[in-house]
Every structure is written in structure tokens, then in C-alpha cells.
Amino acid sequence: MYAELHCISNFTFLRGASHPAELIERAKRLGYAALALTDECSVAGVVRAHTAAREAGLPLVVGSEFRLADGLRFVALAEDRGGYGALARLVTRGRRAAVKGQYRLTREDLEAGLPGCLALWLPGAEPVREEGAWLRERFEGRLWIAVELTVSGADRERLERLTALAGELSLPAVAAGDVHMHQRRRRALQDLLTAVRLRTTVARAGRALHPNGERVLRPLERIASLYPRDLVDATREIAGRCRFSLDELRYEYPEEIVPPGTTPAAHLARLVEAGAARRWPAGTPPAVRRLIGRELALIAELGYERYFLTVHDLVEFARGRGILCQGRGSAANSAACYALGITEVDPARMSMLFERFISRERNEPPDIDVDFEHERREEVIQYLYAKYGRARAALTATVICYRPKSAVRDTGKALGLDAAQVERLAGGMQWWDGREMEDSRIRDAGFDPSNPAVARLVALTRELIGFPRHLSQHTGGFVISRGPLEELVPIENAAMPERTVIQWDKDDLDELRLLKVDVLGLGMLTAIRRALALVSARRGSEFRLEDIPAEDPRVYEMICRADTVGVFQIESRAQMAMLPRLRPENYYDLCIEVAIVRPGPIQGQMVHPYLRRRSGEEPVAYPGPEVEGVLSRTLGVPIFQEQVMQLAIVAAGFTPGEADGLRRAMAAWKRRGGLEPFEAKLKGGLRARGYSEEFADRIFQQILGFGEYGFPESHAASFALLVYASAWLKRHEPAAFCCALLNSQPMGFYAPAQLVRDARSHGVTVLAADVNASGAESTLEAGAGGPPALRLGLDRVRGLAQAAAARIVAARADGPFDRVAALARRAALGRRDLAALAAAGAVAGIAGHRHRAAWDVLGVEPALPLLPAAEREEGLPLLRAPVEGEDIVADYRSLGFTLARHPLALLRPRLAADGWLTAAEVAELADGTPLATGGIVVTRQRPGSAGGVIFVTLEDETGYVNLVVWSRIADAHRKAMLAARLLGVRGRLQRQGEVRHVVVDALEDRSALLGSLTARARNFR
């Protein structure tokens, strides 16, 4: 029996060539007694290894490999919880002392040793006796010399030399493998990773590459033939002393969140009581009061009060700063969270499933996501750092993995392809291709897949896809602890200044059941807050989110027409196609709308049954009263994740905790399976309660669909509030809504060009950017007794510095600008900023037109150090004004859109001669009519649930045309599909009620007709 004590995974980025789970599974198969995961100055992969080891029944030793600044190398292994804390502290110290992705440790950092850790000295090719003696003083009785024999041709000499050195230093020796991969076939990939790390090619890496494939988990027979028995036995002895498991980690909540002189339970109860009085001034309904009492009792029983208080404190801070925020996820199922103001979803409007949120069986912290305005989320993050300190608060990490393009690029460079070849290959991998490299893509790039060199590149690229590349910061998951966080998990620097991250990601925290508070940014909250401020300023009194009238029929009428460009969550192609069919009439219908256009309901084949039942085409039937109680709100069809859990409870006999286990298994089964035990229990429970085999099979198939992505009712409930609020603003305050969207970019499904066009189609007057009228951002201007006009801000001008825009607005306070030279002098503008303004037409009011503005800019001379620039009157050149087409091209180049006629209006005679119909004409055709049309490409989208279909939206002067492009058509016309700015289409109209699509037969790139006009499409998965 043998335990491997020195093994790195691919979380030692660009060194290790195997996933942690692969190493665990291979060690178990080989019959190892234990495996130590010792990634370099890191425990980033240890949770993955812990999960795999628990499932495999293999003891895992937690450790790390270190190289000090002077070259001394050793491995530290945690014996117990204290040793793990010391190890994590050392990793933190090394990572915080260097830039992101690196570490730096010196002997001074190890002066106190590592209590609770064992150490293996890793001597170099020429062992330095002093290194061993120094380590021995720090690890008295806890240090071994690692003897690593890798069939170098000098193994016997190496063994004798290290054995003698061990005797001289009175140190024991132990066998180790310096493992970098689980199987030898990964050696080529390991060489590739080495070349990538060193930024060279495999051919030039030379001795930096390992000479053979021996740094692998080797069979026990091989180990026995290489090492003396006592060195092998020592591995088991060391592994046996390392009893620490990640299961010992326990989260402790911050203490200062509770005022002195009170208990967490009493403080939380007081806050909830005060919140309930605000929510229900006429008195809390008895049912809600009972619900709050049950929740507080369970929270107290499990000791989660500080968690709720922590989130409440965050929300109170944000609201005190005027930052819009809203809790979602499981929090929407909690009456206590509603009373605390964490969520805005009234429990009276929703069906509660508190066990989705908190469960005594799971005994783990609840999970609350809080969305903040995306532009002001940093204020909340810095508040957390200031309140708890860098030592006790950090963001969770996100593991960035290789995708096809990045894998192709790194592999190609490492194998010696020149830059042009690499880019040709990478360019062939597009956003819709998924994780595979198809031979056709390689041929399209001009390479022969059967060529041995190309075949090798493709094989290595396929292996590299999915490998961890580096750690990045999570979008907002925060871990906050009572004591030093670095003793729970190491902390390292993020790429962004003033940010630190832990070495584990969200899934790792979930696996260990550690607390995480999600401080997320949501662009729509920013837009809504800006829109409310604009409305308040125009009305002369504060207009708040809660002042928006509920259930306005005019808003729902607009939604049912799919007039939802810019509206939160329901502006995508798929949502717009669903809206006229589902026809939402109230808030709960919006909850269903948000959730039904998701992979879960689509893959589970729930969409069409629901629509048929809603329209009366199919009777609503329930196989039993328990099922009716769960599914009556959704007409007998499970739409939400919580409904699946409720079905398991009421119809199959699951406990609430078992039902949540089913939810977790649903979320993970596509990655690693694990639904089999639940399938047997679910079907058995349904049959035992009299449900048919057919019903049991159908429910399980729907559960598999939810495994693709089941949307929780709690998320939908929170999102639906913002759907309605944004739709109300669009319907009743279109100018303010569009202005807010423009000032909150980037966000949403549509570019500013489509937002502006949509606002104009709703009667909003949009005024051009102008140095004498525009603010730094877009603003509203009072109309002549009518609705306000939208004035484009100077931030719409491409190439204009933000600081320059602010100086223009400040200088204009002293009076309008009358000449370009005066503008340059008063606002301290350089030639680049002036040229950007001239190109955008923002100084046309001064100069007359774009050509003259460009001339005036050329005449502006920079001020000399001692003499002010003289403003001389010059004769006006005889420059013609731009023709309409030139202005339109310049608008697109400088602004991304035009307020003049649409470009295709100028091309319409040519397009009509080619047989192209306008979008308006297409909309009038009957179902199945063949047609030819085209337009500027606005969006391309390939949802994972669409079976390879790509949805494309085209725009012309009369509106939009929505295309359905089957994968075979997209592949046959790939270049036009990817590159066209102006796309021509032949196909047939597919019409179902108000929903219209063109099913494409052929595509044609007609971009040449646009000349130099730049039009950028947005691509979505």
C-alpha cells in the first residue's frame, strides 16, 4: 500500500495536467492508501478533490507545495484543523505579497514554522544540506526528505545520495512522485501547458519540459520496484497522521451585527416586528403572522439570526445611500425577509415553500441574492470591506476555464504556428459552436484535418478545453467571517484594485455549506432609479418605485403586443414570441412569463401544454388532489422549480429536506449524474400513492428538463416586479425610460440604436448631441406644452473623453459657445476631442455642418506655455455640406445610429429591384408565403435549448424582421451568417397569430451596399 504525498492538479495553473477528480479516481483504481493534493501555494482545487474522494472512499490529505524566493522547495501537509489554518494563512501571505496569479514567500514568512503541519523537503538536483537543516529547525519531528525517482537514468545515485543526506541530518525519508497527471497519455498536454506558461513553443522549451512521462500516478507494482519498502511504508505513516478533512470547516457568523446588550434572536425579532408594522400598517394578517413565527422559530433553532441580520444591514446601508436594491432567490419565499425589506415580494401574493429557503434537515445557511444598481454596487462592496476588514471579508472566485477560442490560440502558439495561422484557426470557432472543434471549421480556416500536425493540434485543443486557466472574481458573492477568513480559505489579490478573492468558487462553497452573501449588480435597477429621478424632476415631487400604480391594464395591453424593447427580462426574441400567446394579464402571469421561456420548461415539454390549457384548447386535469394543490396556479403543468419539490413532498412522500436534495441533484445531474436514487424513490412514492406509471414517468422526464435550467418561482417573483415597473415606465414615461436606459449602458438585449428608434416610434422627440445643449449624459428637455424631448448626451459621442464632456458642460455655464476655437479654449479640449465632436455633428450648430466643423478643428492651435492662443477671424472656406448619405455614415461611425433616415431608405430602390420586401410588407403576408427580404443585422442568438437554431433580427426603415435559421442553413451560409452587416434572406413566412418569423432557406451577404457604414450586431448564447 502506498500514499502519494506530492501531487498537483490543473489548479496549479499551466503545470498540472489532470483534474482533481481524475487524480482521485485513478488513485482509487490503482489501490492507493491515500492521495495528497498539493497544488502550488494554493488549495483552489481541494474542494473538487474532497468531493471526489468522499464519493470514492479514498482518504484525501490536504496540502500545498511552496517555493521560497531563494529557491527552497517543500510540501506542507495539514495534520489537523489548526494545521490547515496555518497552511491557509501561509498561502494567503504569499499570494497577497505578489500581483494576481503569483506569490512570494521568504524564509522570514516561515520563521514560526507551520504548527499542525507535516513537511516534505524537496531537494533540488544538487541538494543543499543547509536547506534541510533550516527546515528541520522549523518542523522538528515533522520533516521528511522526499525521495522522488522519475526514471531519469540516475535514480540509484539519487536514492543513495538522499538516503545519506537523511542520515547526516537525522531526518527520515519518504517516497513521493511529483505527480502532474493521472495517466501517461496526458504527457503531451503537460508539455503544452509548460510551453504556454513559459510563453514559448514546445520545440523551444528544451529542458524546461520533463524528460519522460513518469510524473504520473504509477501502479503499486511500479512503486515497489523503484523504492525501498521503508520509504513506501513511510507514505502510509504520514497519510495516517494527516486526519484533517474539509468537513471540519465550520462557518462562524460576524458578531458585531448584534448590538451590545441583546441577543441575535431578540434583535432579529424586533427588526421583523418593526418591519411588519411598516408593511401592514392596518395590522399583520393572521396567516402571515403565523408564517413569520414559524420562520423565526426555525431560524433560531438553527442559529441563522446573524445571517439575516448581515443581509438586512447591507440592504439598510444601500437604502440609506439611495441605492435601489432587491433580494431574490430563496429570500422571496420568506415572510421575515419581506418584513425586513430584503425582498419586495409580498408573501400574500405567492405560495410559500420555506423549506426551499431554510431546512433543519439540510442544516446549512440559506442563500439570499441581493441585486443592487450595477453602477453603485462598488459602494456596497467597499462598505463590506470597511465594516469587516480585508481579513474577514472577500469575494468568492470564479474559475476561468479554457473555451474553444482561447484553447486554439494557446495550443497553436505552443505548437509553433505563426500569429496569422493561429488567428485563422481561432476565427473559425464561433460563439454558437459550443465546446467542439469540428473538422469543417478546420477546413474553413484553410487547414487539412488529416494532416498529422493539424490532427495533433486538434487533439490537444480538445483536451485543453474545460481546463482551469486562472481564478477571477465572482460577480458579487461575498464570504464574511467572525474570525480571520484566511484560516478558513486562503485569500489572494484580484486583478481589480481594492479587491481580494478567496480561492474557492461558488460551487465549492455550496459543497462545503459555507455562508455566501451575493452582492450582485443589476443594470435594470440603475435604469429604473434614473428613470424615477427624471420623472420626479419633471413632476416637481418625488416619484418612487412604490408609487407606480399596480396592475395597470394599459401596461398589460402593451406587453401582450410584445411591445417590450428595453423592458426587463421580456425583451428577447423568445419572450416577444411568447407574449402574444401567453397574454399576461396580472402580476402572477408575469412570473410565469419570466420562467416559462427557460431551458427547464422547454426541455421538459411543458410550454405547449400550458399554452393549450390557458387558451382552452386542452382541458385542465389533475391526477389527484395533492397534485392539484401544487399545480393549480399553473394549470396542472409544473413551471417552477419549487413545484417539482412540492410534488415530491405531497405526491411521492419526500421530506422537505429530501426534496431540496432532489433540487440540488437536478442542478448537478448534467455534470456528474446522481439522479438515480431520486428516480427510484420518486416513482416508487408516486405509485404507492396510486399515481399511474405514465404520470410518474412524465414527472421524472420533466425533472430532467429542469436539470437543464429550472427557474425558481422565488426568482421569477422578484424579477416580475421589475418587469412590471420597467414596462410601466416604458408605457407612461417613454422619454424618461429611454433616457435612463441610454445612461445605464451597457445592459440589456438591444443596443442604443434600437432603444432610440423604439422611443421615436412611441412619439418621443430625440434631439441630437450638441455642445451648446447636451449634458455629459442624455437628458430630458421640456416640450412646448407636450411631453418632454430626449436630448442625447455627449457620452454618446465615440472618442470623446468623459472628462472632456464634463469640462464642456462646466464651461457652458458661462454662456454658449459661438466658435470652435472658443469651445477648445474654454473647455480645454485637445485636437482628438474636438475631432470626435466634429465627426459626431455635435458642433454643427456652431460651424454649420460636419465638413466646416472639421475645417474649424484643424484651425485650432494649441496654446503656447507663455502666450494665450489667439483667436483670429479667418475667411470661411467654400466647403459643401455633406449629402444625406455621408451624414448617415458619419452618424453610425460616431454615434452608432442616426436620427436621420434609415440607411436602407436610401437603398430601397435598389433593394426593391432585387425583390426585397420591407419589414412592414413582410408583416402583411400570409402564413407560408415565400419571400425575399433583408436588413441590417441587429442581433444573433443561439439559445442552448433551441436545438441548434439561430435566431436573427434584421432592421430596415419600416421595422424588424425575425429570422429562424436552422443549423444546416447556418453552416451552409456560414460566412454570410457571421460577417454580414446587411443580410439578404430568402425563405417563407411562418405566422401564428401575432407572432411572425421568416424560416430561412438561403442567406446572402450584401454588406457592400452599405459602403463604409459601420453597424455592429449583438450576439447572444
Side-chain angles (χ1 to χ4, degrees):
M1 294 289 286
Y2 171 75
E4 181 54 65
L5 301 176
H6 184 200
C7 173
I8 64 171
S9 73
N10 53 14
F11 279 82
T12 300
F13 304 117
L14 301 180
R15 271 188 66 200
S18 293
H19 294 280
E22 292 176 324
L23 292 163
I24 293 293
E25 291 161 8
R26 180 66 174 167
K28 177 66 175 179
R29 193 175 301 117
L30 291 173
Y32 281 27
L35 179 74
L37 191 69
T38 58
D39 283 311
E40 186 174 3
C41 196
S42 174
V43 296
V46 76
V47 179
R48 318 281 172 98
H50 170 74
T51 303
R54 185 174 56 203
E55 294 174 357
L58 179 74
L60 173 69
V61 177
V62 177
S64 187
E65 170 195 316
F66 299 95
R67 180 190 293 272
L68 302 186
D70 63 1
L72 187 155
R73 295 177 67 229
F74 69 98
V75 167
L77 305 173
E79 282 190 280
D80 51 30
R81 176 64 181 89
Y84 171 78
L87 177 72
R89 283 198 306 273
L90 184 64
V91 172
T92 298
R93 192 173 305 129
R95 292 290 178 180
R96 292 298 311 277
V99 298
K100 178 185 181 297
Q102 300 179 26
Y103 72 99
R104 188 179 190 279
L105 290 168
T106 67
R107 294 196 183 190
E108 290 181 1
D109 295 311
L110 213 63
E111 275 301 327
L114 285 177
C117 288
L118 308 181
L120 312 181
W121 174 33
L122 304 174
E126 294 296 328
V128 179
R129 186 180 186 280
E130 181 273 336
E131 290 182 352
W134 187 86
L135 280 172
R136 183 185 59 193
E137 293 178 9
R138 275 85 195 153
F139 292 91
E140 187 66 37
R142 296 178 288 126
L143 178 67
W144 285 257
I145 293 181
V147 179
E148 299 184 329
L149 305 179
T150 55
V151 194
S152 64
D155 281 359
R156 180 172 296 180
E157 178 186 347
R158 177 77 173 171
L159 175 61
E160 291 174 354
R161 192 171 183 181
L162 292 181
T163 302
L165 184 58
E168 293 174 23
L169 293 171
S170 300
L171 289 175
V174 64
D178 190 19
V179 172
H180 285 56
M181 52 198 166
H182 72 298
Q183 288 183 326
R184 291 180 190 276
R185 62 182 178 81
R186 285 284 170 84
R187 185 194 167 188
L189 182 62
Q190 206 279 322
D191 288 347
L192 177 87
L193 293 169
T194 301
V196 172
R197 186 178 80 251
L198 299 177
R199 298 184 179 182
T200 186
T201 65
V202 173
R204 293 176 179 172
R207 293 188 177 183
L209 304 178
H210 296 309
N212 56 34
E214 287 295 315
R215 284 170 172 78
V216 68
L217 293 174
R218 296 175 284 196
L220 295 179
E221 297 80 8
R222 180 72 167 159
I223 297 291
S225 69
L226 289 172
Y227 294 97
R229 178 64 180 268
D230 59 329
L231 268 63
V232 175
D233 290 343
T235 67
R236 299 198 307 277
E237 174 197 342
I238 293 171
R241 288 179 59 174
C242 296
R243 300 178 302 278
F244 169 72
S245 167
L246 292 181
D247 288 332
E248 298 176 44
L249 298 182
R250 291 291 180 269
Y251 180 81
E252 295 180 322
Y253 299 90
E255 290 183 331
E256 61 265 46
I257 205 68
V258 180
T262 187
T263 66
H267 185 48
L268 179 63
R270 278 196 295 271
L271 289 175
V272 171
E273 186 67 28
R278 289 193 300 271
R279 292 291 195 186
W280 296 281
T284 307
V288 174
R289 183 164 291 282
R290 288 193 297 272
L291 186 60
I292 289 175
R294 183 167 70 91
E295 291 179 9
L296 289 178
L298 186 54
I299 290 168
E301 177 187 340
L302 298 177
Y304 295 156
E305 298 96 338
R306 284 190 175 90
Y307 176 80
F308 286 85
L309 293 171
T310 301
V311 179
H312 173 262
D313 177 65
L314 273 182
V315 170
E316 287 296 296
F317 165 79
R319 293 200 170 121
R321 291 286 188 94
I323 303 172
L324 272 187
C325 62
Q326 178 167 292
R328 61 179 168 90
S330 311
N333 279 346
S334 168
C337 282
Y338 180 67
L340 289 170
I342 294 171
T343 176
E344 293 302 313
V345 179
D346 187 340
R349 302 173 77 174
M350 304 299 296
S351 172
M352 294 294 101
L353 183 62
F354 193 54
E355 289 76 8
R356 161 71 175 88
F357 182 44
I358 186 172
S359 167
R360 62 169 55 86
E361 292 178 65
R362 295 201 325 265
N363 191 26
E364 64 185 63
D367 183 22
I368 299 178
D369 301 338
V370 186
D371 292 315
F372 299 87
E373 296 176 42
H374 74 310
E375 289 183 349
R376 303 189 65 188
R377 183 175 68 109
E378 185 64 22
E379 296 176 46
V380 183
I381 288 175
Q382 293 306 322
Y383 169 73
L384 281 170
Y385 279 134
K387 185 179 183 71
Y388 299 104
R390 296 276 167 176
R392 296 171 52 209
L395 286 160
T396 60
T398 293
V399 181
I400 303 299
C401 296
Y402 274 104
R403 293 183 177 180
K405 275 197 174 185
S406 57
V408 165
R409 285 194 173 101
D410 277 4
T411 303
K413 291 174 186 176
L415 292 184
L417 273 67
D418 63 41
Q421 289 174 316
V422 169
E423 286 309 310
R424 283 214 323 268
L425 264 176
M429 302 299 301
Q430 293 300 327
W431 49 277
W432 71 53
D433 288 326
R435 293 166 61 100
E436 290 300 319
M437 280 190 70
E438 297 181 7
D439 287 351
S440 59
R441 305 289 173 262
I442 299 163
R443 291 192 188 92
D444 289 344
F447 294 86
D448 179 6
S450 64
N451 180 288
V454 176
R456 182 176 182 230
L457 182 147
V458 171
L460 287 170
T461 300
R462 285 172 175 161
E463 278 194 304
L464 188 57
I465 292 172
F467 255 52
R469 181 61 179 84
H470 62 271
L471 291 181
S472 183
Q473 66 180 46
H474 186 264
T475 52
F478 249 95
V479 178
I480 310 166
S481 63
R482 177 183 301 178
L485 181 57
E486 65 181 2
E487 294 186 359
L488 187 71
V489 53
I491 303 170
E492 62 181 57
N493 296 320
M496 289 182 65
E498 304 302 317
R499 296 281 184 91
T500 48
V501 300
I502 64 171
Q503 287 191 332
W504 294 337
D505 71 6
K506 173 184 179 297
D507 291 340
D508 295 332
L509 293 172
D510 289 345
E511 186 67 40
L512 296 179
R513 301 183 174 185
L514 298 177
L515 169 70
K516 172 177 63 66
V517 177
D518 277 322
V519 181
L520 304 175
L522 190 62
M524 184 50 69
L525 283 174
T526 303
I528 289 175
R529 194 259 305 163
R530 286 176 175 273
L532 293 173
L534 290 167
V535 174
S536 299
R538 186 171 61 81
R539 294 185 178 186
S541 61
E542 186 179 11
F543 186 73
R544 301 166 301 172
L545 188 60
E546 50 266 41
D547 295 326
I548 292 177
E551 306 298 73
D552 184 335
R554 292 169 294 179
V555 173
Y556 286 104
E557 185 273 333
M558 179 190 78
I559 290 173
C560 290
R561 287 189 282 107
D563 182 6
T564 54
V565 170
V567 176
F568 183 59
Q569 286 286 305
I570 58 172
E571 64 173 351
S572 72
R573 277 279 308 279
Q575 289 282 2
M576 283 185 169
M578 181 63 66
L579 288 168
R581 302 167 66 191
L582 194 146
R583 302 195 63 79
E585 297 176 352
N586 53 50
Y587 166 73
Y588 195 75
D589 284 350
L590 290 180
C591 295
I592 293 174
E593 176 68 40
V594 166
I596 201 169
V597 186
R598 306 280 173 174
I602 292 170
Q603 299 287 0
Q605 299 182 355
M606 306 169 210
V607 176
H608 293 296
Y610 176 82
L611 292 175
R612 287 195 298 270
R613 294 181 180 198
R614 186 176 176 88
S615 65
E617 300 172 40
E618 177 181 302
V620 179
Y622 306 96
E626 300 93 345
V627 173
E628 182 175 3
V630 174
L631 300 181
S632 59
R633 301 191 320 281
T634 53
L635 308 181
V637 179
I639 301 295
F640 302 109
Q641 194 180 72
E642 291 91 339
Q643 289 179 304
V644 174
M645 295 170 62
Q646 286 176 310
L647 280 177
I649 293 170
V650 305
F654 279 50
T655 66
E658 288 172 334
D660 189 72
L662 172 62
R663 176 186 66 84
R664 290 175 174 273
M666 284 160 49
W669 82 274
K670 290 294 283 186
R671 295 197 308 273
R672 61 174 186 261
L675 271 178
E676 294 80 6
F678 293 101
E679 178 180 9
K681 181 174 178 57
L682 183 83
K683 290 183 176 180
L686 289 168
R687 286 193 300 267
R689 286 160 179 78
Y691 293 97
S692 69
E693 189 78 32
E694 183 271 336
F695 178 75
D697 287 338
R698 188 168 75 248
I699 289 297
F700 188 71
Q701 288 304 312
Q702 290 171 335
I703 286 174
L704 295 182
F706 273 105
E708 290 286 343
Y709 185 68
F711 205 69
E713 186 176 24
S714 48
H715 279 277
S718 296
F719 280 167
L721 292 172
L722 301 183
V723 170
Y724 180 80
S726 58
W728 189 93
L729 288 167
K730 178 181 173 69
R731 174 63 178 80
H732 294 285
E733 298 285 349
F737 184 59
C738 182
C739 185
L741 290 176
L742 290 177
N743 292 339
S744 303
Q745 293 294 307
M747 59 167 288
F749 201 76
Y750 295 97
Q754 285 73 54
L755 298 176
V756 168
R757 175 176 180 147
D758 180 74
R760 296 177 78 188
S761 73
H762 287 80
V764 175
T765 299
V766 181
L767 305 174
D770 188 311
V771 293
N772 273 326
S774 294
E777 297 183 328
S778 298
T779 54
L780 296 185
E781 294 185 3
L790 167 58
R791 170 71 71 176
L792 296 178
L794 296 175
D795 61 342
R796 292 289 104 211
V797 177
R798 290 176 179 168
L800 180 67
Q802 187 176 3
R807 292 197 301 273
I808 292 170
V809 175
R812 198 174 63 221
D814 296 329
F817 307 108
D818 57 357
R819 293 193 305 277
V820 171
L823 168 67
R825 175 179 53 80
R826 291 168 55 189
L829 300 182
R831 183 70 58 81
R832 181 175 180 178
D833 289 326
L834 289 170
L837 291 166
V843 293
I846 302 173
H849 54 72
R850 271 191 173 93
H851 289 173
R852 188 170 291 166
W855 176 268
D856 288 349
V857 167
L858 292 174
V860 174
E861 298 179 1
L864 297 175
L866 299 180
L867 295 173
E871 294 183 17
R872 297 187 298 272
E873 291 288 342
E874 297 184 5
L876 294 177
L878 297 176
L879 296 174
R880 67 169 177 83
V883 299
E884 184 181 16
E886 290 174 327
D887 266 335
I888 290 172
V889 169
D891 282 343
Y892 269 85
R893 184 182 299 120
S894 299
L895 300 169
F897 56 89
T898 185
L899 299 181
R901 287 198 295 169
H902 193 278
L904 295 200
L906 279 65
L907 296 173
R908 183 52 56 190
R910 170 72 178 273
L911 301 178
D914 291 342
W916 283 22
L917 301 179
T918 65
E921 290 168 336
V922 169
E924 299 301 320
L925 297 178
D927 182 46
T929 304
L931 60 91
T933 188
I936 291 176
V937 180
V938 173
T939 61
R940 304 179 186 92
Q941 186 180 20
R942 185 183 185 274
S945 59
V949 176
I950 299 172
F951 300 103
V952 182
T953 298
L954 305 181
E955 174 192 83
D956 70 11
E957 72 274 27
T958 67
Y960 298 101
V961 176
N962 293 321
L963 311 181
V964 174
V965 187
W966 294 100
S967 56
R968 60 181 176 80
I969 301 296
D971 288 339
H973 301 85
R974 186 176 176 87
K975 290 183 179 179
M977 184 77 231
L978 290 171
R981 291 172 291 142
L982 177 59
L983 187 63
V985 176
R986 284 189 290 107
R988 292 178 178 273
L989 185 70
Q990 184 180 80
R991 188 180 196 120
Q992 185 176 8
E994 298 178 48
V995 180
R996 297 176 294 269
H997 298 92
V998 173
V999 180
V1000 174
D1001 295 325
L1003 299 170
E1004 181 183 9
D1005 187 353
R1006 300 295 300 276
S1007 303
L1009 293 176
L1010 295 178
S1012 61
L1013 185 141
T1014 56
R1016 298 184 178 93
R1018 288 189 172 185
N1019 299 325
F1020 300 90
R1021 288 185 181 275

